[in-house]
Amino acid sequence: MSFPNLSALAVRERSVTLFFLILSVLAGLYAFNSLGRAEDPPFTVRAMVVTVLWPGATPAELQDQVVNRLEKRIQEVDYFYKLETTIRAGRADLLIEFQDYSPSHVVPDLFYEVRKRMLDEAPSLPSGVIGPIVNDSFADVYFTMLALTAPGLPMSELARDAEVIRDKLQRVDGIQKVFLLGERPQRIHLDFDLPKLANLGISPQNVMAAIEANNRLVPAGFFDTTAARVYVRVPADLSDPQTLANVPLRINERLIRLGDIAQVQRGYEDPPSYMIRAGGRDTIVLGVVMRAGENGLALGERLDAFLQQQRAELPLGMELTQLTNQADAIAGAVSLFQVKFLVAMVVVMAVSIMAIGLRAGLIVGLSIPITLGLTFLLMKLTGMNLDRISLGALIIALGLLVDDAIIAIEMMIVKMEQGWDRVRAATHAWQVTAAPMLFGTLVTVAGFVPIGFAQSAVGEYAGGIFWVLAFALLISWLVAVTFTPYLGVKLLPTMSDHHRDPSSVYGTPNYERLRRLVQWCVMHKRRVVLSTVFLLVLSILGMAGPVEKQFFPSSDRPEVLISVYMPEGTAIGNTDAVVKRLESQLAHMPEIKSLSAYIGAGAPRFFISANPERPDPGFAKLVAVTHGVQERESLIAKLHQQIDNGDYAEARVRVARLLYGPPVDWPVSFRVTGPDPQVLREIGHAMVDVMRTNPNIVDPNLDWDERAPYLQLSLDPHRLQTLGLTPLDVAQQLQFQLDGVPVTNVREDIRQVQVRARAQQDTGVLLQSVEIRGANGQKLPLSQLGTATIEFDEPVIKRFNRELFLYVNSDVTNAQPPDATMAVWRALEPLRADLPPGYRISIAGSIEQSGKADASIQKLQPVMVGLMLVFIMLQMRSFSGMFMVVATAPLGLIGAVIALLLFSQPFGFVALLGLIGLAGILMRNTLILTQQVTDNVLEGMGLRDAVIEAAVQRARPVVLTALAAALAFIPLTLDSFWGPLAYVLIGGVLVGTAITILFVPALYAWWFRIDAPTKSKTQAQ
């Protein structure tokens, strides 16, 4: 290498080298202790929610008058990807997602563009529409969720205590924001005695006007004195129910109190729209969001100290418990990394000691903390955290970063065994191995370029793998050419015979057996090459066939998610009844550490891959945090048994684990799109029938299906006119008598409490007893105004990019979701071919997300290949040499498929990363091997001998590095996230390396047509 000999410099300036070695270790310790800790890497969820309310509107009216125009405006925003709209009576939720490749720094601007368009559109919406309400905090992930409970304490008082705790939490260093979740809105109910109202001739509208006149806050003026300006203030506070009850009402010429004709009482939203319980008790949850880049472990410690202090100050009977806590997951991941690091380090040192001796093994082992220390320093300088991705990348790096140190120290040992002094041997290692090691390292790093620069959500999530491996492998090369020669000069023992015949180093019985095997491969080159190609083809077929496929693996988090789906249109009280039965069953199960229930909507986002479900009175979710993975599986089995026994027959109860990767609600999911909801149902039911024939499909279901009843009043317009009524009058009187009407908002502390007027209801209202008052005060049965009929309508309308759609979903058993999805997709071929015009079926769920991730990586694969070819050509300087190196790239697939099949591991996105990196590892080994062939030819060997001897000479370091890497990856096989990748690397490195040592000489012999015992130097060149 023409670059200055760094190895010679390191062994010459030994004090300087030792100084930088110690400095590297100390800097690494500092960086490791100060790096941020997080469960997952920083990740931008490119999604937001827009909500619009229109009380009294049907889903169809909302769709036509409001949603349609909002959707059009949203689609104008740059980087728009998709829009899923859920419309129910009086409410619509629009979930907006932007393209995965939209830059993170642009996402806040995109949110602003949506907000601006919604504000622009608001004035043109129909009267009575509330919103649009833009929620750009939809992507917030709660670091911890705290449940505040106090049995018997009114929710309003509990909310005040929660506000105090929130203010204190906000002052804890490292917390960005704190939300109160699950607070039931307070109400002041005015329950009117209808007969009294009728007898006194008072209309509810007059009563409401009087209340508003006593509650409105208006200025009363001011006057200036010689000393100060004095403001006049008139009391207008009705927050006290007694004060409200004393509001005077004028009836003819006399006054009566509001309390004389109505009961005034405090209460809450009835029926509630959203409820949260912890351990079966009503609760208010405090959701804590961590500040970006914060050390999660340190924040966890500060929160523990805060909780300990706060619990000591709580009143008797009030409890503050943690429902979820990311700090536990972070601590477990960091502890696991330290254990696996020590195991990998011991394994690498043990392999090195057995192969090249005690002192050489210690030198190789010392290179690990030095390399990792400098890697930690670069991670600190670039703002990276220790999280799931970076920790996994570091463990992967443990199996690779010793390769250069092994090669360098092995070359020193060989030269010292041949009689060279240690300083000259250290210098020679630079001259012979520095360039091929560097370009080999660059080839390996280039293999991870697609994931590092992929413009997708998965690329952003997992892209840190590239940077951490690039830092570690490049630093390992620098350590191998500087600190390793220095340590070799200092620590390697003196060889017993300095004048040994150089050729005798590779003349031992083991080397002779290897030489004969390589000679046989060269002699039978065609058979070896064709056999290798045949194995490669079989492995490709195995990957396409029996190897299971997946997108992202299941999480090892201890949470169990229990979703309750009631028929569309179900009242929230019925949903709550099912949840209470579930809670009573779960309350005494020993596996559960904490239990929380969320009725009327999904759980808040406590895990980055868990999307909160939108509000739905017929939906509930329970989150059971168990004591560990074994307890989680035990709880899931018990719940499945209860469900199979029909304990919750009125609902669809689904039990699931958390998943890594982008949010996916169901493992198998298909989207049916078309204009008519009834046709969508028919297609969906036909798909369910097909899916039930697949033994791996569990509980296929339609996202929505049922139609809900409603009472259609057909009013006689002539009769209404005769009575002096309008449809508006009738609707307002009906609402007043059934669920009440809002009157005003009173001011109470930092909240506003709605005052709601309604008729007194002892046991509920029968429609036959409802009476309507005419303009002259006469009372009329509702039946005299028209006819009432029961009809059925769509309780929910769902749209995908402004088209009606229906999801057909299912769970999976004894198969991976992609395999089950594709099997069903093939079975649906006749149905898909016979769809009516305007209808289509598309794959959703994990396959859709996986396709986006794979496409983003495939776009960069030409760049990866180009970089690899550049690095290989710069080193080999010939097309033949480049061909030899590239030809070994796919050979790792043989061992990878064997390992995946042998250990029943699925092939998914994480395993794909291992396969990409494996190609770089094998090409790196081949590059060093082919460079040795070139060196042997330049030393005067014939090409045949040069090829055979190169395989023999490089066998020990290549096999040693492969064995060290494979053994170092073993601890990673126990990890739920990185396990498939570890199996791919272990199988690929072991089998690929063995094939490479035998395949490359045979390929050389075939390519250069080596038949004679020797070739001239000219022919070789």
Side-chain angles (χ1 to χ4, degrees):
M1 197 170 181
S2 58
F3 195 78
N5 191 325
L6 296 181
S7 298
L9 183 64
V11 297
R12 185 172 68 246
E13 303 293 340
R14 300 183 187 180
S15 297
V16 175
T17 304
L18 179 60
F19 168 77
F20 279 108
L21 189 153
I22 296 173
L23 184 63
S24 299
V25 174
L26 295 178
L29 288 173
Y30 163 76
F32 177 76
N33 290 324
S34 60
L35 276 171
R37 265 74 165 176
E39 183 177 10
D40 292 285
F43 178 73
T44 304
V45 178
R46 295 164 172 81
M48 63 187 304
V49 173
V50 173
T51 300
V52 61
L53 307 174
W54 192 7
T58 67
E61 290 169 336
L62 256 174
Q63 173 184 239
D64 297 337
Q65 295 294 317
V66 178
V67 170
N68 193 49
R69 63 177 65 183
L70 295 182
E71 289 176 333
K72 290 178 182 177
R73 297 302 309 275
I74 290 170
Q75 286 183 319
E76 299 170 0
V77 180
D78 291 339
Y79 296 105
F80 171 81
Y81 169 57
K82 74 175 183 180
L83 177 62
E84 284 195 18
T85 304
T86 303
I87 311 170
R88 289 187 166 85
R91 179 185 182 115
D93 294 290
L94 293 78
L95 175 59
I96 307 151
E97 291 188 28
F98 297 100
Q99 295 285 0
D100 283 352
Y101 54 78
S102 54
S104 299
H105 65 276
V106 173
V107 172
D109 296 334
L110 299 179
F111 289 172
Y112 168 74
E113 289 295 326
V114 172
R115 184 183 295 275
K116 184 175 70 174
R117 282 167 170 78
M118 296 300 97
L119 290 174
D120 292 344
E121 200 65 27
S124 64
L125 297 178
S127 175
V129 171
I130 302 171
I133 305 164
V134 179
N135 176 15
D136 53 11
S137 299
F138 176 72
D140 285 340
V141 180
Y142 294 107
F143 180 82
T144 187
M145 293 199 302
L146 307 174
L148 184 66
T149 56
L153 187 70
M155 181 67 74
S156 57
E157 296 184 28
L158 188 65
R160 292 187 180 92
D161 291 322
E163 285 283 2
V164 173
I165 297 174
R166 173 169 67 176
D167 292 341
K168 294 179 180 179
L169 269 172
Q170 198 70 60
R171 293 190 286 270
V172 176
D173 186 34
I175 291 179
Q176 181 181 359
K177 47 190 171 181
V178 182
F179 292 99
L180 291 189
L181 309 169
E183 178 186 358
R184 286 183 63 181
Q186 296 182 55
R187 295 283 187 267
I188 295 180
H189 295 294
L190 304 179
D191 295 329
F192 285 89
D193 187 332
L194 291 181
K196 279 188 177 181
L197 283 179
N199 294 332
L200 293 172
I202 304 175
S203 70
Q205 287 76 15
N206 293 337
V207 176
M208 297 175 194
I211 295 173
E212 179 63 21
N214 282 269
N215 185 57
R216 180 172 296 178
L217 185 64
V218 294
F222 64 87
F223 60 89
D224 292 336
T225 66
T226 57
R229 172 170 291 181
V230 179
Y231 287 90
V232 179
R233 293 174 182 168
V234 177
D237 182 10
L238 297 181
S239 59
D240 182 12
Q242 187 59 45
T243 304
L244 182 59
N246 289 330
V247 169
L249 303 174
R250 181 176 295 276
I251 302 174
N252 298 324
E253 298 301 324
R254 63 192 183 93
L255 297 176
I256 65 171
R257 295 169 56 253
L258 175 63
D260 294 335
I261 59 174
Q263 292 182 1
V264 182
Q265 54 186 353
R266 283 188 175 276
Y268 301 94
E269 180 187 42
D270 184 26
S273 57
Y274 185 51
M275 296 179 286
I276 301 179
R277 287 196 292 271
R281 296 179 293 183
D282 290 337
T283 184
I284 291 179
V285 171
L286 295 97
V288 178
V289 179
M290 183 175 70
R291 190 166 56 220
E294 189 64 32
N295 187 326
L297 285 180
L299 176 58
E301 293 173 356
R302 290 193 290 271
L303 281 173
D304 287 342
F306 170 84
L307 289 175
Q308 185 176 1
Q309 178 183 356
Q310 190 62 40
R311 284 165 178 158
E313 299 173 359
L314 290 177
L316 186 65
M318 186 175 291
E319 296 181 7
L320 185 63
T321 57
Q322 273 189 323
L323 299 179
T324 64
N325 186 17
Q326 281 192 12
D328 293 340
I330 297 170
V334 173
S335 300
L336 192 62
F337 165 75
Q338 293 172 341
V339 171
K340 292 177 179 178
F341 165 74
L342 292 175
V343 170
M345 186 172 175
V346 170
V347 166
V348 170
M349 290 180 63
V351 171
S352 302
I353 289 172
M354 287 188 293
I356 53 179
L358 175 61
R359 297 192 181 185
L362 290 176
I363 294 172
V364 171
L366 288 173
S367 68
I368 297 176
I370 299 172
T371 301
L372 287 181
L374 292 174
T375 302
F376 291 142
L377 182 61
L378 285 182
M379 290 174 62
K380 175 70 175 177
L381 295 176
T382 54
M384 299 184 71
N385 293 329
L386 285 176
D387 50 52
R388 188 188 317 280
I389 298 299
S390 60
L391 288 172
L394 285 168
I395 296 174
I396 295 171
L398 285 176
L400 305 177
L401 56 82
V402 296
D403 290 8
D404 290 339
I406 290 175
I407 292 170
I409 204 68
E410 195 270 346
M411 179 58 69
M412 281 189 64
I413 292 173
V414 168
K415 291 304 175 184
M416 290 174 64
E417 288 176 343
Q418 292 178 351
W420 292 27
D421 67 81
R422 61 187 64 230
V423 174
R424 183 186 173 197
T427 304
H428 179 75
W430 166 272
Q431 296 170 347
V432 175
T433 62
M437 286 193 309
L438 176 60
F439 286 112
T441 297
L442 292 174
V443 167
T444 303
V445 171
F448 292 92
V449 163
I451 186 60
F453 294 92
Q455 298 297 311
S456 66
V458 172
E460 182 180 4
Y461 180 79
I465 294 175
F466 166 78
W467 295 105
V468 173
L469 286 175
F471 293 159
L473 296 182
L474 290 174
I475 290 172
S476 73
W477 175 84
L478 184 62
V479 169
V481 298
T482 54
F483 296 143
T484 298
Y486 166 79
L487 293 172
V489 169
K490 284 289 188 180
L491 299 179
L492 283 180
T494 302
M495 301 302 168
S496 58
D497 184 4
H498 291 285
H499 304 287
R500 183 183 302 172
D501 181 6
S503 62
S504 64
V505 175
Y506 300 106
T508 62
N510 289 332
Y511 277 120
E512 286 297 332
R513 282 191 287 269
L514 176 61
R515 184 176 287 107
R516 288 193 295 271
L517 181 58
V518 175
Q519 288 172 345
W520 185 91
C521 291
V522 170
M523 185 180 302
H524 301 86
K525 50 188 177 295
R526 187 183 304 273
R527 185 185 305 174
V528 172
V529 172
L530 293 179
S531 298
T532 304
V533 172
F534 177 72
L535 289 175
L536 180 60
V537 172
L538 283 181
S539 64
I540 294 173
L541 295 175
M543 182 63 74
V547 173
E548 294 183 344
K549 312 298 187 302
Q550 70 173 187
F551 182 29
F552 269 88
S554 297
S555 168
D556 57 358
R557 292 269 302 234
E559 289 87 354
V560 175
L561 308 181
I562 308 163
S563 300
V564 179
Y565 300 90
M566 299 291 285
E568 288 291 347
T570 299
I572 194 170
N574 297 332
T575 307
D576 191 34
V578 176
V579 173
K580 286 180 178 178
R581 282 163 48 205
L582 268 165
E583 287 176 312
S584 64
Q585 293 288 336
L586 296 170
H588 305 293
M589 290 190 179
E591 295 89 350
I592 295 178
K593 180 180 178 182
S594 69
L595 177 66
S596 53
Y598 308 84
I599 303 98
R605 191 192 298 271
F606 62 92
F607 184 66
I608 195 169
S609 298
N611 259 351
E613 290 83 1
R614 306 312 304 148
D616 176 5
F619 177 81
K621 174 157 282 186
L622 292 85
V623 179
V625 182
T626 62
H627 294 283
V629 175
Q630 290 183 348
E631 290 81 359
R632 180 191 71 182
E633 297 306 309
S634 173
L635 177 62
I636 290 175
K638 290 181 179 179
L639 286 170
H640 279 152
Q641 184 62 48
Q642 292 180 5
I643 296 169
D644 294 340
N645 291 339
D647 292 356
Y648 317 103
E650 67 271 45
R652 172 177 289 109
V653 180
R654 178 177 180 236
V655 183
R657 306 167 184 83
L658 288 170
L659 296 174
Y660 292 122
V664 175
D665 293 331
W666 291 83
V668 174
S669 184
F670 300 94
R671 186 186 304 112
V672 189
T673 310
D676 188 343
Q678 186 56 39
V679 177
L680 292 179
R681 281 190 182 91
E682 293 171 359
I683 297 173
H685 284 295
M687 294 175 63
V688 167
D689 292 338
V690 174
M691 295 171 71
R692 286 198 176 108
T693 63
N694 189 311
N696 302 124
I697 295 297
V698 177
D699 189 25
N701 61 88
L702 275 58
D703 188 30
W704 52 265
D705 188 9
E706 304 85 6
R707 292 166 63 87
Y710 70 97
L711 187 66
Q712 178 65 53
L713 297 179
S714 299
L715 301 177
D716 184 344
H718 300 292
R719 180 68 171 159
L720 289 180
Q721 188 175 12
T722 302
L723 296 171
L725 294 173
T726 66
L728 176 63
D729 297 328
V730 175
Q732 288 178 340
Q733 291 191 47
L734 285 173
Q735 184 183 11
F736 172 75
Q737 296 186 56
L738 295 176
D739 64 325
V741 294
V743 177
T744 186
N745 289 328
V746 299
R747 299 166 296 280
E748 186 173 286
D749 297 333
I750 62 175
R751 285 169 170 72
Q752 293 190 53
V753 179
Q754 186 183 90
V755 178
R756 199 168 184 89
R758 62 188 182 183
Q760 287 183 352
Q761 300 175 13
D762 296 330
T763 60
V765 175
L766 295 176
L767 202 61
Q768 295 89 333
S769 66
V770 172
E771 295 179 330
I772 302 297
R773 291 172 56 88
N776 297 325
Q778 68 272 38
K779 295 183 291 183
L780 299 168
L782 186 62
S783 59
Q784 292 190 16
L785 302 181
T787 60
T789 57
I790 299 294
E791 297 187 12
F792 289 83
D793 196 6
E794 305 293 346
V796 61
I797 295 176
K798 295 198 175 184
R799 291 157 61 98
F800 181 84
N801 289 344
R802 300 185 56 220
E803 291 184 287
L804 290 180
F805 83 99
L806 168 69
Y807 277 132
V808 181
N809 307 310
S810 80
D811 279 313
V812 176
T813 183
N814 299 324
Q816 291 296 330
D819 295 331
T821 300
M822 296 314 298
V824 172
W825 185 249
R826 290 188 293 269
L828 290 173
E829 175 60 33
L831 178 62
R832 291 187 286 123
D834 197 33
L835 288 176
Y839 294 84
R840 62 185 183 274
I841 301 173
S842 55
I843 297 177
S846 59
I847 290 285
E848 184 180 37
Q849 296 292 338
S850 177
K852 290 165 54 181
D854 293 344
S856 66
I857 292 177
Q858 290 168 4
K859 287 181 180 179
L860 289 168
Q861 284 181 345
V863 177
M864 175 193 75
V865 174
L867 288 173
M868 286 180 169
L869 293 178
V870 167
F871 295 142
I872 294 169
M873 177 57 76
L874 289 175
Q875 173 60 31
M876 300 306 302
R877 312 292 177 90
S878 72
F879 285 98
S880 297
M882 184 174 67
F883 169 75
M884 295 295 164
V885 175
V886 173
T888 59
L891 298 183
L893 184 63
I894 300 172
V897 170
I898 293 173
L900 291 174
L901 290 175
L902 189 61
F903 293 97
S904 301
Q905 292 294 309
F907 181 82
F909 182 80
V910 177
L912 176 63
L913 299 180
L915 198 60
I916 293 172
L918 184 60
I921 295 170
L922 295 182
M923 284 192 288
R924 177 177 180 272
N925 289 339
T926 306
L927 191 146
I928 296 174
L929 179 61
T930 52
Q931 181 61 41
Q932 185 66 53
V933 174
T934 302
D935 294 342
N936 289 346
V937 170
L938 293 176
E939 290 178 3
M941 286 188 187
L943 186 54
R944 181 177 184 276
D945 292 337
V947 170
I948 295 172
E949 291 305 315
V952 173
Q953 292 166 352
R954 304 316 307 158
R956 182 166 66 173
V958 168
V959 171
L960 186 58
T961 55
L963 190 60
L967 294 176
F969 291 143
I970 288 178
L972 206 60
T973 60
L974 304 177
D975 189 272
S976 62
F977 186 82
W978 296 106
L981 177 142
Y983 282 106
V984 165
L985 289 175
I986 291 172
V989 166
L990 290 178
V991 178
T993 299
I995 292 178
T996 299
I997 293 176
L998 305 177
F999 170 75
V1000 172
L1003 185 63
Y1004 248 107
W1006 196 6
W1007 183 263
F1008 289 105
R1009 299 176 181 174
I1010 301 176
D1011 293 320
T1014 58
K1015 291 281 185 180
S1016 68
K1017 179 178 176 180
T1018 303
Q1019 287 174 304
Q1021 292 174 334

